[in-house]
Amino acid sequence: MDKLEELEKLEEKYHMHTYARYPVAFVKGEGKKLWDVDGHEYLDFLAGLGVSSVGHCHPKVVLAVKEQVEKLIHVSNLFYTEPQALLAEKLASLSFGDKCFFANSGAEANEGAVKLTRKYAKLNLGEEKYEIITAYRSFHGRTMKMLAATGQPEKQKPFEPLPPGFIHVPLNDLSALKAAISAKTGAVMLEPIQGEGGIYPCEFEYLRGVRELCDEHDLLLILDEVQTGFGRTGKMFAYEHFGIEPDIITLAKGLGGGLPVGAFIAKEKVAQAFEPGDHGTTFGGGPVVCSAALAVLDILDSESLIQNAALVGEYFKRGLKKLQKTQPLVADVRGKGLMLGVELDRELAWPVVQKMLEKSIVIGYVGKKILRFLPPLIVNESDVEGVLLSLTMTLEEVMGEVK
Ligand SMILES: *Cc1c(COP(=O)(O)O)cnc(C)c1O
């Protein structure tokens, strides 16, 4: 039995069956490359779901983690640690916000942001203003409360009843949002570009309009930048594309270079609502993950990766748009920077992903029709050329098979 088969058997017997896994087991990563158990090399255009933005095992991240692991791994949040304090300062300097809180994941960052919103609303807006409006097709995480926030009924159904406090509106429809605002509304929470929902960007005028509506009605605007943050869309944070500032952003994926670290950042007047005892975490903001995150932020800057994401992303999107003109299977191309989606006109996403994997390229998918590209921000135009070529071939193969 080869190694992959062995792992498949172990998984089947001992791990709950919640993941539809790709038929590959990776053992090594470096930059934009991955190697599987048989030593086969792949080009990674998924980056572990938009996580390994600076590339796999970046030497500066590895060194930061190694040095920290040898000094101190954990002490809990009863004590001060330098990496956490420095990271908090750095996040404030990079964003609209003043204060942050560290969590272990995107879902947890969102949970914390919602708790902060509730407390802020109780203190400043009124006891009854606990409701948060989110969008259909949104994705905010897998905890019960974030499942309630996630506007995807098919994901929610098996787990009802869900915690109350969230209502959903269609994205990019300002009048629908306006109509949904009631005496109970305390905040609006949106992804600047919906990720897990299938790469659906907020339109420029829409998000600006949402900000105005929030100001008019005294609502907080929470942006879930768990996927769009840290250069993914060609800006440090995606809200920068819209010329607006949110009241809270939530972050995770790209922050830790692969280590689990999430955060939410708020303006001072909102952050003030939290007092000692209101929120906490055992592991969050530990010295190892914060050291990794500091290294990531340093690399984004020193290697100009955000500018690279903008330029290479634009090049990639142009290539995909060109493909849309010649390949009837391609129905739509969406996204910004290195967060791009291709909607197929048929349910062929998984076969395309598999054939790309056979060509040694890792890409992602959402549902049955949407291909998703979230490469590390270090990729260049010739990587993109290679992917476009393989994708063109793959789409032709798949077309040939369905005819
Ligand atoms: C991935 C994601 C989450 C959930 O993050 P986890 O770390 O898996 O909990 C939340 N919001 C958005 C926008 C995401 O892309």
Side-chain angles (χ1 to χ4, degrees):
M1 192 167 18
D2 70 14
K3 194 77 189 168
L4 178 60
E5 263 176 68
E6 200 182 298
L7 297 177
E8 283 169 345
K9 287 234 155 64
L10 285 173
E11 150 101 9
E12 196 184 327
K13 186 145 188 231
Y14 296 112
H15 194 278
M16 293 186 197
H17 191 217
T18 64
Y19 298 114
R21 297 196 203 263
Y22 291 33
V24 61
F26 291 120
V27 291
K28 185 173 136 80
E30 192 186 309
K32 53 202 167 194
K33 303 233 169 94
L34 284 167
W35 286 267
D36 71 12
V37 284
D38 299 317
H40 194 90
E41 184 183 303
Y42 298 80
L43 177 64
D44 186 7
F45 259 55
L46 187 55
L49 279 171
V51 166
S52 308
S53 292
V54 297
H56 294 280
C57 301
H58 191 292
K60 280 191 182 166
V61 175
V62 171
L63 183 67
V65 170
K66 262 191 186 159
E67 286 183 349
Q68 187 57 49
V69 158
E70 283 171 356
K71 271 194 293 198
L72 180 69
I73 297 176
H74 178 81
V75 284
S76 91
N77 281 303
L78 292 172
F79 309 97
Y80 297 100
T81 56
E82 191 175 2
Q84 184 183 103
L86 293 180
L87 183 58
E89 179 190 36
K90 187 88 195 167
L91 290 181
S93 78
L94 291 173
S95 74
F96 74 96
D98 300 306
K99 286 195 168 139
C100 77
F101 180 94
F102 293 111
N104 303 288
S105 67
E108 259 186 51
N110 285 338
E111 286 276 343
V114 167
K115 275 180 75 179
L116 178 62
T117 303
R118 283 263 177 111
K119 182 90 190 289
Y120 173 85
K122 266 190 213 294
L123 293 173
N124 301 282
L125 307 176
E127 192 67 34
E128 73 295 343
K129 291 176 85 77
Y130 63 87
E131 221 168 54
I132 297 180
I133 301 175
T134 72
Y136 284 115
R137 286 205 194 112
S138 62
F139 181 83
H140 299 294
R142 301 289 194 166
T143 60
M144 285 304 284
K145 200 157 185 79
M146 285 311 115
L147 186 59
T150 290
Q152 301 190 43
E154 69 287 357
K155 280 202 165 71
Q156 297 175 325
K157 258 263 152 329
F159 304 101
E160 289 173 344
L162 296 172
F166 295 93
I167 58 169
H168 305 104
V169 293
L171 192 73
N172 290 327
D173 181 345
L174 206 56
S175 49
L177 178 64
K178 211 179 217 165
I181 295 171
S182 75
K184 288 195 234 163
T185 314
V188 176
M189 177 157 91
L190 296 170
E191 297 156 83
I193 301 178
Q194 293 184 329
E196 305 305 300
I199 316 286
Y200 290 96
C202 281
E203 285 161 13
F204 181 78
E205 290 303 336
Y206 175 72
L207 198 53
R208 292 175 66 88
V210 174
R211 177 70 271 181
E212 270 173 36
L213 271 182
C214 287
D215 290 341
E216 248 169 64
H217 294 264
D218 242 351
L219 313 176
L220 294 184
L221 175 59
I222 309 168
L223 292 181
D224 180 343
E225 295 232 27
V226 168
Q227 192 160 146
T228 53
F230 302 110
R232 175 57 53 194
T233 70
K235 299 263 189 205
M236 179 58 83
F237 302 109
Y239 70 79
E240 296 169 28
H241 291 293
F242 299 87
I244 57 148
E245 285 188 351
D247 299 293
I248 305 178
I249 51 173
T250 62
L251 301 159
K253 291 193 166 90
L255 176 55
L259 272 75
V261 51
F264 55 101
I265 309 177
K267 289 188 176 159
E268 175 64 30
K269 77 166 184 166
V270 179
Q272 263 176 14
F274 267 171
E275 294 169 284
D278 276 343
H279 198 45
T281 159
T282 299
F283 290 113
V288 177
V289 298
C290 288
S291 297
L294 283 166
V296 167
L297 296 175
D298 176 49
I299 296 160
L300 288 178
D301 181 42
S302 64
E303 297 183 15
S304 305
L305 293 187
I306 300 179
Q307 294 88 320
N308 188 63
L311 290 172
V312 177
E314 196 49 48
Y315 182 79
F316 193 7
K317 190 171 180 182
R318 267 204 310 275
L320 291 169
K321 286 261 183 205
K322 221 154 85 194
L323 186 59
Q324 184 184 0
K325 289 212 180 87
T326 55
Q327 174 50 260
L329 258 185
V330 177
D332 197 14
V333 175
R334 296 188 291 266
K336 216 169 177 56
L338 289 171
M339 180 174 179
L340 296 172
V342 167
E343 181 159 339
L344 303 177
D345 82 339
R346 263 163 259 194
E347 299 189 343
L348 288 169
W350 178 238
V352 169
V353 167
Q354 277 181 305
K355 281 186 192 296
M356 289 295 279
L357 196 64
E358 285 161 18
K359 295 181 179 64
S360 306
I361 299 171
V362 182
I363 67 168
Y365 66 105
V366 179
K368 296 193 161 93
K369 285 185 164 180
I370 299 166
L371 306 174
R372 177 159 64 154
F373 303 90
L374 297 168
L377 311 185
I378 58 174
V379 296
N380 59 34
E381 293 184 354
S382 92
D383 299 321
V384 165
E385 279 304 326
V387 169
L388 285 169
L389 199 67
S390 293
L391 183 64
T392 307
M393 276 164 57
T394 299
L395 291 176
E396 274 161 19
E397 285 164 33
V398 190
M399 264 308 252
E401 283 169 23
V402 292
K403 259 181 193 159

